[in-house]
Amino acid sequence: MSSTHDLPAQHPAARSDESWETDPGPGPGPGLLRMPPQSMEAEQATIGTLMSTMGGAAQRYFAEILETGIAAEEYYKPAHAMIHRAICDLHKAAEPVDVVTVAAELVQRGELSKVGGAPYLHACIQAVPTTANGPRYAEIVRAKAYRRAAIESAQKILQYAYSEEGDEADVRGLVEQELTAIVAGTPGLRDAPPLVDDIYLDYVAELEEIQNGRQLGLSYGIIDLDAMTSGMHPQNVTVIAAQSGVGKSTFALNAAVAAAKNGATVMFSSLEMSSTELMHKIVAAEGSLALHHLTRVDGLTSEDWKKVERLGRELFRTLPLRIHRPEHASLRDIESAARACARKDGLDVLVVDYLQLVEIEQTRNITREQAVAAVSRGLKNLSVDLKCHVIALSQLNDDGMVRESRAIKNDASVMIKVERPDMDEPESPRAGEVDLVIEKNRFGPRATVSAAAQLHYSRFVNM
């Protein structure tokens, strides 16, 4: 969710007086009764979510609602604006926010009866279908408010033009003023991009850092791969693609741990493996323990147990790596968890395993290819928004093409295909090796990097 600019001050976004309900029309004659754009359901759900998410895992939705940029003035119903102000003031004062504290705050302001009393606060909470969609409800409220502001600007222009007041320059000035104000308040609108002259000095400083070797990205854990790609950089996406069983999850987990061991904050979101399965792989790779010994009865010796215990003391206690298992396999769940990580400790690397398993909220009939493309684009936008690097895993078809969507490769900065010569030829002289085929590389040449596949330890290592 991107943050948005406030609506222009001269365009009140929330009014419920008679003037909103009567459209005077462009000329003489009786006005038409028209209801301005608004959604009472979305307003109640937004308020209700804010009063329901201050405890437990749902607390992240409170911050995500505020991140939309929603303001009290954007509610159509004045009572909702009063409640929103009370909630925000409690939050700024580091006070808990729930139906009891909000009611008490409104009592102090002399506004509880104006909003409908405590029963109405409870009604708002009951109106919430799911707190996970709180940010979306806020976006709906903002969108309706913007439409009301646009209508008011248009009405001002129409009324002045029909009034015959002023001259042509006055009309032109009002039109320019109103349109400029309403465009400036467009949700998501950004300032004009900088001129190259404005960024030249920063570019030279960054170029010097690169040339002196101080601007390398985070390591994938394979030296030759880092040399070809300059490592993992913020706001970029690496796609790791392979057929099932080749080892793309192992490679991605190796890269996640390597980045975390170098101090990067990492979130590994797995839709395929449980946290226990992922921990098995990390322990096997970092402790040089056979993976199949970890997963069978009495597979570990006393020395093996010492290795496991040592990893807990020397690695896991300080490793900034979070394991995320989305409840509903949805893109929104992954985005929410990533934003929560970014707020708490920052987020440098997000790994999603894997793209074709991620679901999106489908509001219309779309093809499977369009759905996967939407997930790919969503992760790319998230990398830019959070200024993190995203590693997105993808399945390959038998013909070596990315499964279900060409957009995956288009959105990637780097695309790496994982191939093992011994998959189809067990007696291959290259058994135990893996090829990391760099099919797309915005930071260097296309190339093939070879590494050793020690899959019994669930790891790929430098040759």
Side-chain angles (χ1 to χ4, degrees), residues 224-287:
D224 291 342
L225 184 61
D226 293 339
M228 290 294 176
T229 62
S230 298
M232 296 181 279
H233 291 273
Q235 305 186 64
N236 286 291
V237 175
T238 294
V239 170
I240 298 174
Q243 295 179 359
S244 181
V246 173
K248 62 181 179 297
S249 296
T250 295
F251 175 61
L253 190 57
N254 289 170
V257 173
K261 287 168 73 174
N262 285 316
T265 52
V266 183
M267 183 182 109
F268 194 105
S269 186
S270 175
L271 288 82
E272 191 173 36
M273 290 183 284
S274 68
S275 58
T276 299
E277 291 173 308
L278 291 171
M279 287 299 293
H280 280 329
K281 286 180 168 291
I282 298 173
V283 169
E286 297 300 316

Side-chain angles (χ1 to χ4, degrees), residues 52-65 91 131 340 343:
S52 307
T53 56
M54 288 305 290
Q59 186 170 353
R60 65 178 183 265
Y61 303 129
F62 186 98
E64 289 177 9
I65 289 175
H91 181 61
T131 55
R343 288 193 303 271

Side-chain angles (χ1 to χ4, degrees), residues 41-314:
E41 295 83 359
E43 291 191 8
Q44 285 184 321
T46 301
I47 294 294
T49 302
L50 287 170
M51 292 190 290
S52 307
T53 56
M54 288 305 290
Q59 186 170 353
R60 65 178 183 265
Y61 303 129
F62 186 98
E64 289 177 9
I65 289 175
L66 297 187
E67 285 175 5
T68 66
I70 189 168
E73 294 74 24
E74 293 173 312
Y75 292 89
Y76 179 72
K77 186 171 181 176
H80 295 158
M82 294 178 190
I83 298 170
H84 186 93
R85 288 191 190 96
I87 289 171
C88 289
D89 288 347
L90 285 170
H91 181 61
K92 288 177 184 176
E95 296 288 338
V97 176
D98 56 39
V99 68
V100 175
T101 59
V102 172
E105 178 67 17
L106 289 168
V107 167
Q108 281 192 332
R109 297 166 182 244
E111 295 177 343
L112 184 60
S113 61
K114 296 179 182 178
V115 305
Y120 187 70
L121 299 182
H122 287 283
C124 289
I125 291 177
Q126 293 171 356
V128 180
T130 170
T131 55
N133 291 338
R136 177 57 184 152
Y137 305 144
E139 289 174 346
I140 294 172
V141 173
R142 295 210 75 205
K144 299 294 185 183
Y146 180 74
R147 287 178 178 270
R148 294 197 299 275
I151 290 170
E152 182 170 345
S153 282
Q155 287 178 334
K156 284 183 179 179
I157 293 171
L158 285 171
Q159 289 169 357
Y160 191 76
Y162 273 100
S163 71
E164 301 291 347
E165 295 178 12
D167 57 19
E168 182 184 354
D170 293 326
V171 176
R172 186 183 297 112
L174 177 65
V175 170
E176 184 177 293
Q177 175 187 337
E178 292 297 322
L179 293 183
T180 299
I182 197 62
V183 169
T186 302
L189 190 71
R190 296 293 185 265
D191 293 333
L195 293 166
V196 289
D197 184 51
D198 296 330
I199 63 176
Y200 172 70
L201 292 179
D202 289 337
Y203 163 73
V204 171
E206 185 170 345
L207 182 60
E208 185 178 3
E209 293 283 305
I210 293 172
Q211 295 300 307
N212 291 334
R214 295 193 297 267
Q215 192 72 312
L216 294 175
L218 295 166
S219 174
Y220 289 100
I222 302 295
I223 294 173
D224 291 342
L225 184 61
D226 293 339
M228 290 294 176
T229 62
S230 298
M232 296 181 279
H233 291 273
Q235 305 186 64
N236 286 291
V237 175
T238 294
V239 170
I240 298 174
Q243 295 179 359
S244 181
V246 173
K248 62 181 179 297
S249 296
T250 295
F251 175 61
L253 190 57
N254 289 170
V257 173
K261 287 168 73 174
N262 285 316
T265 52
V266 183
M267 183 182 109
F268 194 105
S269 186
S270 175
L271 288 82
E272 191 173 36
M273 290 183 284
S274 68
S275 58
T276 299
E277 291 173 308
L278 291 171
M279 287 299 293
H280 280 329
K281 286 180 168 291
I282 298 173
V283 169
E286 297 300 316
S288 295
L289 293 166
L291 183 61
H292 66 282
H293 287 174
L294 293 167
T295 58
R296 76 181 189 194
V297 176
D298 295 328
L300 296 182
T301 67
S302 59
E303 288 301 314
D304 293 337
W305 272 112
K306 289 179 181 178
K307 289 183 179 180
V308 174
E309 292 167 0
R310 187 169 65 249
L311 286 174
R313 292 192 310 270
E314 299 177 1

Side-chain angles (χ1 to χ4, degrees), residues 290-426:
L291 183 61
H292 66 282
H293 287 174
L294 293 167
T295 58
R296 76 181 189 194
V297 176
D298 295 328
L300 296 182
T301 67
S302 59
E303 288 301 314
D304 293 337
W305 272 112
K306 289 179 181 178
K307 289 183 179 180
V308 174
E309 292 167 0
R310 187 169 65 249
L311 286 174
R313 292 192 310 270
E314 299 177 1
L315 179 63
F316 295 128
R317 186 170 296 174
T318 58
L319 193 70
L321 170 64
R322 294 180 181 273
I323 301 297
H324 175 237
R325 176 77 174 183
E327 294 179 10
H328 306 294
S330 72
L331 178 60
R332 186 174 289 278
D333 282 344
I334 294 171
E335 289 174 337
S336 296
R339 293 182 190 282
C341 289
R343 288 193 303 271
K344 186 172 180 61
D345 302 312
L347 183 64
D348 298 311
V349 179
L350 167 64
V351 183
V352 178
D353 184 11
Y354 57 91
L355 274 168
Q356 285 82 2
L357 292 180
V358 181
E359 299 172 355
I360 62 167
E361 297 177 6
Q362 297 189 20
T363 57
R364 62 187 189 280
N365 293 326
I366 59 175
T367 66
R368 178 61 185 163
E369 180 175 355
Q370 290 171 325
V372 174
V375 172
S376 176
R377 174 52 53 181
L379 292 176
K380 173 60 180 175
N381 291 341
L382 190 63
S383 74
V384 174
D385 194 15
L386 299 184
K387 295 180 173 57
C388 69
H389 188 91
V390 170
I391 298 177
L393 277 62
S394 176
Q395 290 277 36
L396 289 180
N397 293 321
D398 292 339
D399 59 4
M401 301 297 290
V402 175
R403 182 174 296 178
E404 295 179 318
S405 181
R406 291 169 293 181
I408 294 172
K409 185 174 182 178
N410 294 339
D411 292 331
S413 300
V414 175
M415 180 169 175
I416 302 168
K417 284 187 178 180
V418 183
E419 299 177 351
R420 282 173 38 209
D422 57 4
M423 283 287 288
D424 298 322
E425 188 183 349

